[in-house]
Amino acid sequence: EMAAWSADLSSALYNVDGWGAPYFFVNDDGDVAVRPHGAATLPGQEIDLAKVVARAAGARAGGGLGLALPLLVRFPDVLRHRVETLNAAFAYAVRSTGYAGRYQGVYPVKCNQDRYVVEDIVEFGAPFGFGLEAGSKPELLLTMSCLVARGSPDALLVCNGYKDLEYVSLALIARTMGLNTVIVLEQEEELDIVVEASRRLNIRPVVGMRAKLRTKHAGHFGATSGEKGKFGLNAAQILSVVAKLKALAMLDCLQLLHFHIGSQIPTTALLADGVGEAAQIYCELARLGAAMRVIDVGGGLGIDYDGTHSAQTDMSVAYSLEEYAAAVVAAVGRVCDRKGVQHPVICSESGRALVSHHSVLIFEAFSATAPAANMMDPATAYLLDELTDDCRSDYRNLMASAVRGDFDTCGLYADQLKRRCAEQFKEGVLGLEHLAAVDGLCEIVARGMGAAEGPRRYHINLSVFTSLPDMWAIEQLFPIIPIQRLQERPAVDGVLSDLTCDSDGKVDQFIGGRSSLPLHELPAHGTRGYYLGMFLGGAYQEALGGLHNLFGGPSVVRVSQSDGPHCFAVTRAAPGPSCADVLRAMQHEPEVMFEVLKQRTTDDGATAAALARAFGSMPYLSFDAEEAAAMSGAESSGMSSDSEGSAAGAAEDDDEEWEFMRGLTV
């Protein structure tokens, strides 16, 4: 039966080609591999995820980086391909329709504010004039800095979100630095702030406004759109802003219209309807005298998380990237042609579509509940004869029904017997052994009736709340599959249970409508080495994750395609936050805590050394006791890992990298 299985069958089982194309596939070794350049990836350029994990988590003595799991693997080549593909799709739509304007997108940094992600997008997008979008003051500061250092001079800097005088002043100052900053009015009263800041700084602004459309889509993500949406101006407010700008002789400052139909727009029909409505507003603003030049269609370019290519759920979309671009360009062009308005620059804020594919979260299943066994020990069967008369009556009726094959009646008697025994246990009439014997009997009867065995629980070295926040918060589904052994049949139905002391710390819903995930038996030689990957989670998850139970983020590596023996190189690596880091984030003082605890040690320093290692280690489980015992301060970082360091220079940077642990020297 095992010989009949193949990697191709696993690929079909998990629908890898549905949600993973063109980046992820199952190779002939049964490992999940990455095509960093999409469909243009050559056979010698494919990156095996299992080999990446071996390099990152392997011992330093053996050439590994010694990083603890969970592990976030970033692929900047995939990010480059996403940026280029998005721009190519719009460029083709512009050429094929005769559109007279151009496409010039921005990346909304809220999707993933990681320094290297933002810098990569700006660098890869520079040939296309690709810019950034900010929604808060710290986001504005990072976008300003990145665009000044690396951006195209044509790139847009779109300023969204609620604003105060300081936010608007920063945006205006950015214009003096040569940035194409556009301040988008989310509320009518923000215009007064813009006017005041402009007069104080003597800087003329470029202003946009966000319109509330009538068009919206159903589902969770559609709640942010329509007339009841959180942001934007209705028709009367738009006219009021135009009138105020005209009275101030600033109507020429109004140059951009922004709108947002909602994330994960399901169909191009809905997209075209919303874009057409917004284009009508754009043309009306041009008619009223505004110097309009940009229409910002916002986000909404969806991701096919479940690989079904359908519009039935929030987990998929019924169009390709190319079809999305064609629908947007055609809708804007059609309305502008009808109104005799010059074709505007089309901008989009397609953050989810840009960054979702670029990272993979790798985590380990370290144990699993045992397969169901015969719970009825013949040596304890006599306990059933010690039941009270009413319980023995239920027992006899249960067995008689089982012999007759009357399964409906059998189930009723089994439930009644368990309830009655539970009540008598609470009253002290029966002992724990009696309860166990009755449970075993009822389990045997249930199996004889053909009751399906429930999924087994696989315990994972991860916090759902930290690394998969959308899964528990909004029931978002991401593809999760084993990253190796896929040439073997996954014969176990399992659900995933995380490390946190919280009942919601689980994954029991999976793509494809499954309530369990096909998995393999864990390796017989120990608890290490069964790795799973969560895919398409590069947007939002890192910023939204919290510190429930003080579990911090994962270790991080950046992996680029290279011509080496394994087709990849780790260009940056950083350990995840240590126990000291997460304690410090909650206003604790690890150095003081260590000194207090050290005063209570009574041995020659071994206990204090163990305490120091604990402060410097990641909060997640470590299973190699010998390795943990051998770890010195130089291999147990208490430094924050918010920014990644160079893997190549890890040896030279030891003094700086592990400085904190030497501060806790015994």
Side-chain angles (χ1 to χ4, degrees):
E1 186 175 351
M2 295 301 293
W5 199 255
S6 69
D8 288 342
L9 290 175
S10 285
S11 180
L13 176 67
Y14 297 111
N15 195 22
V16 176
D17 290 342
W19 53 261
Y23 304 108
F24 305 107
F25 72 105
V26 180
N27 65 21
D28 293 339
D29 293 330
D31 297 338
V32 177
V34 181
R35 294 187 177 103
H37 312 299
T41 305
L42 301 176
Q45 297 175 331
E46 296 160 348
I47 300 172
D48 189 315
L49 274 180
K51 293 178 181 177
V52 172
V53 173
R55 169 81 170 106
R60 292 186 177 188
L65 298 176
L67 296 175
L69 269 66
L71 178 70
L72 188 71
V73 186
R74 299 195 197 279
F75 295 97
D77 294 317
V78 171
L79 201 55
R80 179 193 293 273
H81 188 265
R82 296 301 293 174
V83 172
E84 293 175 348
T85 302
L86 174 66
N87 282 278
F90 272 98
Y92 178 78
V94 166
R95 289 195 309 272
S96 61
T97 60
Y99 189 81
R102 68 181 189 277
Y103 171 74
Q104 193 175 341
V106 296
Y107 168 62
V109 297
K110 68 177 181 179
C111 292
N112 193 318
Q113 299 101 334
D114 178 81
R115 169 188 169 184
Y116 299 102
V117 170
V118 178
E119 289 181 353
D120 282 347
I121 289 175
V122 170
E123 178 185 339
F124 302 154
F128 312 104
F130 209 79
L132 297 173
E133 180 268 352
S136 66
K137 282 182 272 190
E139 287 186 351
L140 179 54
L141 288 168
L142 79 87
T143 54
M144 289 168 60
S145 173
C146 195
L147 287 173
V148 165
R150 291 176 167 80
S152 162
D154 297 324
L156 292 169
L157 173 51
V158 177
C159 299
N160 289 331
Y162 294 126
K163 303 168 189 69
D164 60 9
L165 187 61
E166 186 175 44
Y167 185 134
V168 172
S169 298
L170 276 174
L172 291 173
I173 290 170
R175 292 198 62 79
T176 68
M177 299 175 179
L179 298 179
N180 295 322
T181 309
V182 183
I183 302 170
V184 178
L185 305 178
E186 306 279 3
Q187 305 175 94
E188 183 180 356
E189 53 267 32
E190 288 179 355
L191 177 60
D192 297 331
I193 301 174
V194 173
V195 171
E196 179 184 354
S198 174
R199 287 173 174 170
R200 284 188 182 186
L201 298 173
N202 194 28
I203 302 171
R204 196 162 181 83
V206 173
V207 177
M209 66 171 71
R210 178 166 175 167
K212 283 186 179 179
L213 303 184
R214 269 72 169 176
T215 306
K216 64 173 295 183
H217 73 81
H220 170 80
F221 295 110
T224 57
S225 62
E227 294 180 274
K228 304 297 183 183
K230 177 179 177 182
F231 300 104
L233 285 68
N234 59 31
Q237 292 169 325
I238 290 173
L239 291 172
S240 176
V241 167
V242 169
K244 290 178 182 178
L245 287 171
K246 189 172 184 179
L248 294 166
M250 294 178 66
L251 192 52
D252 62 305
C253 295
L254 179 57
Q255 300 181 16
L256 178 146
L257 178 70
H258 173 46
F259 65 95
H260 182 62
I261 300 172
S263 296
Q264 287 288 105
I265 297 173
T267 65
T268 53
L270 177 63
L271 172 67
D273 189 31
V275 173
E277 179 187 349
Q280 288 287 148
I281 298 173
Y282 179 94
C283 291
E284 286 295 295
L285 291 172
R287 178 182 65 82
L288 293 170
M292 301 301 292
R293 65 183 186 92
V294 181
I295 184 166
D296 181 351
V297 303
L301 174 54
I303 294 296
D304 195 357
Y305 290 103
D306 63 14
T308 60
H309 202 66
S310 70
Q312 304 306 311
T313 71
D314 289 333
M315 307 308 157
S316 185
V317 292
Y319 53 81
S320 65
L321 192 159
E322 292 75 17
E323 290 168 335
Y324 173 91
V328 170
V329 172
V332 175
R334 184 166 52 249
V335 173
C336 289
D337 289 344
R338 186 169 63 237
K339 292 287 188 176
V341 173
Q342 182 178 353
H343 292 178
V345 172
I346 295 176
C347 177
S348 76
E349 302 176 7
S350 305
R352 184 187 298 269
L354 283 177
V355 299
S356 290
H357 299 79
H358 95 282
S359 66
V360 180
L361 178 68
I362 308 295
F363 53 95
E364 184 178 5
F366 61 88
S367 70
T369 54
N374 189 347
M375 297 179 63
M376 185 68 180
D377 185 352
T380 61
Y382 72 92
L383 293 168
L384 297 173
D385 294 329
E386 295 180 356
L387 300 177
T388 59
D389 291 342
D390 49 358
C391 289
R392 282 204 308 274
S393 175
D394 290 336
Y395 166 47
R396 287 191 293 270
N397 289 331
L398 169 61
M399 299 309 293
S401 299
V403 170
R404 294 195 306 271
D406 186 355
F407 294 146
D408 291 339
T409 304
C410 198
L412 293 174
Y413 279 123
D415 290 341
Q416 183 169 299
L417 174 61
K418 293 182 75 170
R419 274 198 312 271
R420 203 188 302 270
C421 288
E423 289 300 324
Q424 293 185 5
F425 173 76
K426 295 175 186 177
E427 295 169 1
V429 176
L430 298 179
L432 197 59
E433 299 87 349
H434 298 101
L435 281 186
V438 169
D439 287 343
L441 169 68
C442 292
E443 178 67 22
I444 292 173
V445 171
R447 289 189 207 164
M449 293 165 55
E453 182 182 337
R456 289 166 58 186
R457 187 171 298 277
Y458 279 60
H459 306 111
I460 56 175
N461 200 12
L462 188 77
S463 165
V464 168
F465 303 92
T466 298
S467 296
L468 308 174
D470 273 349
M471 274 196 161
W472 71 268
I474 62 173
E475 299 180 347
Q476 170 73 40
L477 300 184
F478 298 96
I480 297 177
I481 68 170
I483 66 165
Q484 84 279 55
R485 294 177 58 187
L486 295 176
Q487 78 281 19
E488 304 173 23
R489 183 189 300 273
V492 181
D493 286 330
V495 296
L496 308 179
S497 180
D498 79 352
L499 295 181
T500 64
C501 301
D502 196 303
S503 299
D504 288 330
K506 61 184 179 181
V507 183
D508 57 5
Q509 296 296 321
F510 304 89
I511 64 170
R514 291 179 176 271
S515 56
S516 62
L517 183 67
L519 298 169
H520 305 87
E521 292 284 356
L522 292 182
H525 54 77
T527 57
R528 300 298 304 274
Y530 190 66
Y531 301 110
L532 297 102
M534 187 275 281
F535 298 81
L536 309 188
Y540 297 109
Q541 304 315 294
E542 295 168 53
L544 291 175
L547 286 176
H548 188 33
N549 270 161
L550 295 187
F551 287 108
S555 300
V556 181
V557 292
R558 282 166 53 87
V559 175
S560 296
Q561 184 267 320
S562 75
D563 297 328
H566 297 303
C567 306
F568 71 87
V570 177
T571 58
R572 294 188 182 274
S578 67
C579 292
D581 292 330
V582 295
L583 286 166
R584 192 177 291 109
M586 302 303 290
Q587 309 304 311
H588 297 280
E589 298 180 53
E591 297 86 351
V592 174
M593 296 165 67
F594 173 76
E595 292 298 333
V596 169
L597 294 172
K598 191 173 70 170
Q599 299 305 316
R600 290 295 184 97
T601 61
T602 58
D603 54 25
D604 59 358
T607 300
L611 287 170
R613 286 195 298 271
F615 276 107
S617 66
M618 285 178 67
Y620 295 93
L621 301 187
S622 176
F623 300 103
D624 191 334
E626 292 183 2
E627 180 180 296
M631 284 178 64
S632 66
E635 293 181 342
S636 187
S637 172
M639 300 294 291
S640 171
S641 60
D642 290 340
S643 61
E644 301 164 22
S646 170
E652 293 83 8
D653 294 341
D654 260 358
D655 288 345
E656 180 178 349
E657 187 74 21
W658 314 120
E659 179 181 352
F660 170 79
M661 279 310 299
R662 280 205 294 276
L664 300 184
T665 300
V666 179

